[in-house]
Structures are given as structure tokens and as C-alpha cells.
Amino acid sequence: MSTDPRTFVKTYFGIGAAIAFLAIIQTQQQTEALLKIRTRYKWVALMGVFAVNVALGLWVLLRHHDPAAYWEKIDLKQLPSLFGKIAGPALMLLPVPIILYARAEFFGRGLEAFFRLLWLFWCLLPLQVVGLRLAANFSWPVAMAFALLLDGLASQIFVSFLPVSDYPFSMGWSEASRFYYGSLPFARSVYGVSLPLSIWHGTRYLLLAIPFLVRGLPIWAARLWQVVLWIGITGTTGWILIRRVRPGAWITAAILAVWFFLYSFQGAVYYHLQVCVIIVLLGVAADHPWRSLIAVLIASFWAGMSRLNWYPVPAILAISIYVLEEPFGRAGQIWRYAARPVLWGTVGLIAALVGQAFYIAISGNSNLEAFGSSLTSALLWYRWFPSATNPIGIIPGILIVSLPLLGLIFWSLRHNFGDLHPVRWIGLLVMLLMLFTGGLVVSTKIGGGGDLHNMDAYMVLLAMIGVYFLCGRVQPETSGNAEFPATPPWPIVACIVLVPVAFSILRLGPAFAYDRARAAADLSGVRQAVQTYNESGEVLFIYERQLLTFGSIRDVSVVPDYEVVSLMEMAISGNQPYLAQFYRDLASHRFAAIVVHPQNLGVSTGDFIEESNVWNRLVAQPMLCQYKPAVEFAYSNIQILIPRARPCPEFPPVVQQP
């Protein structure tokens, strides 16, 4: 990776000015809402520093004189090697305590700090770049890209390990559900009875089930295993992709592998989708048609057991590899060139449907209608744009992720369209648009839209195409000297690297800690109450079912129905048979007690407002009509309900399409 010094310096100062400008806007908006802070010296002074940065950046960008004239004279090679070995790592690590202090003390209290924190990262980046130059003698652009990616990698790994804790209660709305559904393949050894598998994300829970091969593992082990899946499978996917395109120099391969790792967390691209990607990358090759077909079959079968919108993804990825690596001229005719993609697409779709049927058969679920719940859910189109549910919005967010890579692809093709047959580049464009459009539609489904994870298939395909172009592995039509440029302008490269790093920095937060004495007291109280009510009848855990999974509460039978994620999905999809049975069970007081979180019936604003309103109307209100709070545990946010003597007269509600 090389670039002229002038472009390199202008890019650095230009991006720094843009980040500082956004930091000014963010700080000003937030201080307007907090009038007492507005007059505090440090925030006024900080915005002044940002303004100076903006002015300096504009001065460097508009200045005709070469801003790198003096910078080029810096020759670090003249320094003693021992000094470089000591000072290099020290400079690379020096920003870490500064950033941690700023995040925890200066930026992190009272105001959201993303752009301020990103600005601090960017300002301290030259120290790390110089450190890398001293330690490894990289070029300036390579050192900057590598330093940025190391920052992002450290941030993402740190964030990934934050949930690893022995805290016995759920650390998120659906965390307990993941562990419960992950335990179901081994339900007989965990609970003593066979239970039906999850209706959704079957392959995800098969992967999460692996720790339950060892009986008696604590909850922190399951949390750690989930981190291993995220980091291990994502890292493996990146390594296999980079190994396939053979970028040459080891440093280029390392940069690309780390970049793909961070890029995948922007969605995030779920690890059970990446299993499909790994199978396709390992198995598909233009000169091995039978091996390729088998890879498409296996990956599509896995996708069929996973999610409805993933059914075509393995075939599309395989076809894209074929189009990138196989010139049209070798076939000569369009029907010959298209024969293999058509075969893969057809076989892949059939294999996905067979995979779904297979999973339904082994799942043990009698409510087959539930498997199609995503097809009957309401679509909330406003979530394409910034809202309380997603401050960035789906469309602005995916454009931020996409535009640097699209710029790379355009740069590579701008003078070389003739070296990529129209059938090939139109095919790539159509497949990108298919996955882009499908991801946008799925993102509007009620229950979604909070992040970019429904754009995962599109993101994977775009990244794969971009890496092929960047590494010069797209086969041109001619066999002469024609090739696609492997090195785009430094501003494009800088944006490609910076965007996923920024997403990883956005997730930075404090390490999880809890009051062990209060948690132990709540756990003891919940255990005692549940065991008492269990003597009178069934106890339903709508929330906190992991207390049964990991043995925090023993000798209580598991009620397979009405777990919080399943109940929410049935409510937002308007599954009348499921909800009608729920209401009958409530009316008959089937359960001696129900373990829930306190129900917030007054919700009318905030994130996921439609989901909250549907839950309140179809679940919380009917439940509180038939059951009343008996005991509450404030620290763990757990409430235990018991049957009412006098239920509400308007029970049950009318189930309508949300």
C-alpha cells in the first residue's frame, strides 16, 4: 500500500476536521439539553479545540503548498535500532490509558461521547503510527492502516468479553433466551425431559448447545462460549477469504483479515451465517464443478435450518465467486456461461427448503404456523431512517458501511469496463441489489430495525467483491496485460479502514460489575418463592429461564411454552391459535406462579415502541388481568405473579394483526 505524501497528509487532516465538526454538533446538541453543563468551562474549551481542528484541517486541504514538505524529511531509520524497539511499543501503547481515562472520566459521564472519543483516537493515531514505524519500519500509509485496525481490534475484543460474568440473572432482554434455547438439544440431561427446539435460528442454537455436552457448566462458561463463537468464526471467515484471494505480502493479508473481522461486526454478521460463507469459500471453485455443487448443497441446507431470508445466500455467494473468477469468453455463449449459476441457484433453493423441512421435523414443535411468523408481521418503513429505535437509521447506516467499498469497486472498474463482460458486472450488480433490497425489507419487520444485522448477507457479498478487486483477483476477459487496479486512492482506503473501526469504538463501554451480596439475596429469595409456589402447581418462567438451565433453581419442572422471545414473536405476528391457548391457560389459572419482569403498561414513547405496545396489549394486560404481583426483587428486576381471585371483566382481548 503506497500513496504520495501530500494525499496522505491531506486525507489525515481532512478526516480529522470532519470528525471534529461532528463532535462540535454532538456536543452542542447535548449541552442544549443540559443547561447546567453549557456554562462549564471544559465543554466550552473542548468545542474550541474542535473548532481549531476544523480550521486547521480546512487550511491544510485548501493550501496549495505541499503540506508534507517538512514531514517527508523525517527519517526514523537514522535512530538507533534499540531506541526503536523500546520507543516503538511504548508509543503504540501510550494512547490506551489516555483514551480509557477520557472514556471513563472526561467524556463518559453525562454526555454521549462517540464523536469526541473518535476524535481523540484520531488525534492520538500519529503516536501509534510513529511507534509502528520505529518497531517495524512500515510505510506511513501501512502503519496508519495497521494502527487504526489494531485500535479497532482491541476495542472489539474488549467489548466482546464484557458480558462474560457469573452474574446469575439476564444481562439483556433476550440473553436468557439464547442460553435456554441453546440447552434444548440436550434437554433430557439438563432438565430431565425432552423439550421442543427453538422455532427460530435453529443453527445458532445448535452451536450454542455445544457447552451443554459437559453437564454442570456455570453460566459464565456459556457466555464465554458465545464470545468464542463470535470471535472464532468471524476470524476464521476472514482468514479463509484472504487466503483465497492471496494478497501477497503478509502485512497486506493481516490488514485485510483484521479489516474483515471488524467489518463483520458492523451488522453484525451472525456467526451461523458465516458457517455458510466458510463452506462456500472452501468448496466453490470454477475448475471443480462437483465439489462446488456439494458445497452449495451443504451451505444451503444449513441456511434452510437458519433463517428464511438466508435461503438464497449460499448460491448467490457461489455464483459471485464464479463470476469474479471465470471470464465470460471461456464459455462463449450466455447459456453456457449461465448454466452453472442456474444449477447452483436451483439446487441451493431446493436444499434450503429441505433443510427447513428437516429442522421442523426434528424440532418437536406442533405449532407449524409459528415457523412462518415472519411472513405475517407488520412492516415499519420509518425504521429505514433515524428514529428512537435506531439513531442512525437502516439506510444511512448501510450507506456509511457501503460507500467506501462501492467507491473501491467503481475506482477499479472506471477505465476497465471492457475487461469485465456486461453479463458479469450486471450479474454482480443484480445480486447485490437483491440482497440489499431483501435486507431493507426484513429490517422493517416489527421486532427489527435496531441495527444492521438484517443487511448481513448484502454486507458479506459486498465485502467479498471488494476484496477481490482490491487484491487484483478479478479475472479480466483478455489474457494480455489488462488488470484491475489493485491500489485505490488513499482517501478511499482510509474510509474503508476507518468506518468499521469507528463502529467498534462506538460500542466501547465500562466493564460489567454487580453487587454480589444483593444479587445473592435476590437469587435466594426467588428460589425460595418459586419452590414454595411449585408445591401448588406449575411455575411459568416467562423471563429468567436460565435460572433453571444452570441449576440456580432446582426441582422445578420446565414449562416449554410462553418463553419471552417466543411469546413476543407470536404477539407481533398475530398468531391467534398460540395466543388463544395462552389466554385459556391464564383464565384457568394453570400456573401457580409466573416469573416475569415488572410490566411497563404506560409505554408510549421510546425505542421499539410498536413492539412494546403490542406486548402490553396482547400479553401484559391479559396476564395482569388474571394474575397479580405477589413479590418483587428490585435488584434483579424480577416479579412473581400469582392468580387473582377476581379477574378483569374484559378478558380476553381481541387478537388483531399488529
Side-chain angles (χ1 to χ4, degrees):
M1 185 189 301
S2 62
T3 188
D4 66 279
R6 176 172 181 160
T7 301
F8 177 75
V9 173
K10 283 181 175 287
T11 300
Y12 174 78
F13 279 95
I15 292 177
I19 295 173
F21 178 72
L22 293 172
I24 291 174
I25 294 175
Q26 184 182 51
T27 304
Q28 177 63 23
Q29 289 175 341
Q30 293 166 343
T31 54
E32 285 179 357
L34 302 169
L35 297 179
K36 292 182 180 180
I37 295 179
R38 192 171 190 174
T39 58
R40 289 176 61 177
Y41 171 78
K42 76 172 185 178
W43 297 113
V44 176
L46 188 60
M47 284 194 286
V49 172
F50 295 152
V52 170
N53 194 160
V54 173
L56 178 61
L58 292 175
W59 179 77
V60 171
L61 285 173
L62 299 175
R63 184 174 167 84
H64 293 293
H65 177 69
D66 186 356
Y70 299 103
W71 168 79
E72 284 184 282
K73 298 178 181 179
I74 300 175
D75 187 4
L76 300 178
K77 296 179 182 178
Q78 295 180 356
L79 297 173
S81 60
L82 180 60
F83 175 82
K85 292 179 180 179
I86 297 175
L91 287 173
M92 290 169 60
L93 295 174
L94 180 61
V96 175
I98 299 173
I99 291 168
L100 291 177
Y101 169 78
R103 178 67 182 87
E105 301 295 334
F106 195 89
F107 292 156
R109 297 185 178 181
L111 293 173
E112 291 296 326
F114 171 59
F115 285 113
R116 292 186 289 276
L117 193 63
L118 184 60
W119 173 83
L120 184 60
F121 264 94
W122 194 253
C123 289
L124 295 174
L125 184 62
L127 293 176
Q128 296 176 303
V129 173
V130 171
L132 278 171
R133 291 269 295 172
L134 288 170
N137 196 29
F138 294 147
S139 66
W140 289 103
V142 168
M144 176 168 283
F146 205 41
L148 261 177
L149 290 169
L150 286 177
D151 287 338
L153 182 64
S155 300
Q156 185 57 57
I157 291 177
F158 173 76
V159 169
S160 297
F161 277 94
L162 287 179
V164 179
S165 168
D166 61 353
Y167 182 61
F169 303 106
S170 180
M171 296 171 62
W173 180 79
S174 62
E175 190 207 36
S177 307
R178 291 194 292 271
F179 298 141
Y180 169 70
Y181 288 123
S183 71
L184 293 181
F186 300 101
R188 183 162 293 279
S189 64
V190 176
Y191 306 106
V193 294
S194 295
L195 297 171
L197 303 180
S198 168
I199 294 173
W200 306 277
H201 292 280
T203 55
R204 182 183 191 183
Y205 297 121
L206 290 177
L207 293 173
L208 288 173
I210 293 175
F212 295 98
L213 287 168
V214 180
R215 296 186 62 179
L217 285 181
I219 192 170
W220 66 261
R223 288 173 172 146
L224 177 61
W225 175 247
Q226 185 164 233
V227 175
V228 170
L229 289 175
W230 275 113
I231 293 177
I233 294 181
T234 305
T236 300
T237 306
W239 176 76
I240 291 173
L241 174 61
I242 304 311
R243 181 173 174 265
R244 184 181 183 102
V245 297
R246 305 184 305 278
W250 73 268
I251 185 61
T252 305
I255 286 175
L256 286 175
V258 174
W259 170 82
F260 183 85
F261 178 86
L262 296 177
Y263 173 90
S264 298
F265 279 98
Q266 294 174 115
V269 179
Y270 278 117
Y271 46 80
H272 50 311
L273 173 60
Q274 294 187 55
V275 172
C276 298
V277 181
I278 290 172
I279 294 170
V280 169
L281 288 174
L282 289 176
V284 172
D287 54 348
H288 292 87
W290 284 107
R291 191 183 77 187
S292 301
L293 182 62
I294 293 172
V296 171
L297 275 169
I298 296 173
S300 298
F301 187 88
W302 179 272
M305 295 174 63
S306 304
R307 296 187 70 187
L308 178 63
N309 53 308
W310 291 354
Y311 288 6
V313 173
I316 287 177
L317 294 177
I319 294 168
S320 300
I321 291 174
Y322 173 78
V323 170
L324 291 167
E325 295 183 352
E326 186 72 7
F328 180 84
R330 292 181 184 174
Q333 294 179 317
I334 190 168
W335 68 268
R336 287 182 178 176
Y337 191 77
R340 199 175 301 178
V342 170
L343 175 63
W344 290 348
T346 304
V347 169
L349 182 58
I350 294 173
L353 293 172
V354 172
Q356 183 198 40
F358 172 77
Y359 181 76
I360 292 174
I362 67 170
S363 71
N365 286 283
S366 58
N367 184 7
L368 300 182
E369 183 182 350
F371 286 93
S373 62
S374 59
L375 300 176
T376 60
S377 300
L379 301 180
L380 308 174
W381 301 103
Y382 77 88
R383 292 190 180 175
W384 280 353
F385 309 102
S387 66
T389 300
N390 186 342
I392 299 177
I394 298 300
I395 290 180
I398 197 60
L399 288 178
I400 291 170
V401 170
S402 301
L403 286 177
L405 284 171
L406 293 173
L408 162 68
I409 295 169
F410 174 78
W411 174 266
S412 300
L413 282 173
R414 73 196 195 288
H415 297 310
N416 298 274
F417 274 105
D419 292 317
L420 197 68
H421 193 278
V423 168
R424 298 174 68 191
W425 64 260
I426 291 174
L428 292 173
L429 180 61
V430 167
M431 287 185 286
L432 279 171
L433 287 175
M434 285 174 56
L435 295 183
F436 181 81
T437 304
L440 283 182
V441 173
V442 175
S443 295
T444 66
K445 188 183 84 69
I446 185 171
D451 55 28
L452 298 177
H453 81 268
N454 286 312
M455 304 299 298
D456 46 13
Y458 162 78
M459 289 175 57
V460 168
L461 178 59
L462 181 63
M464 188 175 72
I465 295 172
V467 168
Y468 263 82
F469 275 104
L470 184 64
C471 295
R473 296 303 176 186
V474 180
Q475 291 298 316
E477 291 298 320
T478 59
S479 58
N481 296 324
E483 61 179 22
F484 297 101
T487 306
W490 174 244
I492 292 179
V493 175
C495 291
I496 289 173
V497 172
L498 178 61
V499 169
V501 172
F503 270 86
S504 66
I505 292 171
L506 177 62
R507 300 185 185 95
L508 279 176
F512 178 80
Y514 70 97
D515 188 322
R516 291 182 176 275
R518 295 184 66 187
D522 273 18
L523 180 59
S524 177
V526 172
R527 181 187 297 120
Q528 182 177 357
V530 167
Q531 290 174 343
T532 299
Y533 290 119
N534 189 55
E535 295 175 359
S536 303
E538 292 181 294
V539 176
L540 170 64
F541 280 75
I542 292 181
Y543 298 81
E544 303 292 344
R545 204 167 283 200
Q546 86 289 345
L547 294 176
L548 304 177
T549 303
F550 295 103
S552 298
I553 296 177
R554 300 180 184 275
D555 302 323
V556 175
S557 299
V558 178
V559 178
D561 298 319
Y562 314 134
E563 194 277 332
V564 61
V565 169
S566 296
L567 196 50
M568 172 62 89
E569 185 68 24
M570 294 301 99
I572 62 178
S573 63
N575 190 313
Q576 296 190 30
Y578 186 97
L579 293 174
Q581 182 60 50
F582 178 57
Y583 300 147
R584 286 193 293 270
D585 288 340
L586 292 177
S588 66
H589 290 171
R590 170 186 168 185
F591 309 111
I594 301 177
V595 178
V596 296
H597 290 172
Q599 303 299 294
N600 185 10
L601 297 181
V603 171
S604 59
T605 59
D607 60 341
F608 293 104
I609 179 62
E610 289 81 6
E611 291 84 349
S612 297
N613 287 335
V614 170
W615 175 271
N616 287 340
R617 179 169 60 87
L618 297 181
V619 178
Q621 290 177 353
M623 182 167 58
L624 292 177
C625 275
Q626 296 290 341
Y627 284 74
K628 65 180 181 180
V631 59
E632 185 170 338
F633 302 91
Y635 185 74
S636 56
N637 196 38
I638 292 177
Q639 195 173 68
I640 297 180
L641 310 179
I642 61 173
R644 289 183 181 273
R646 296 181 179 179
C648 301
E650 62 272 18
F651 184 86
V654 177
V655 180
Q656 301 173 347
Q657 183 67 27

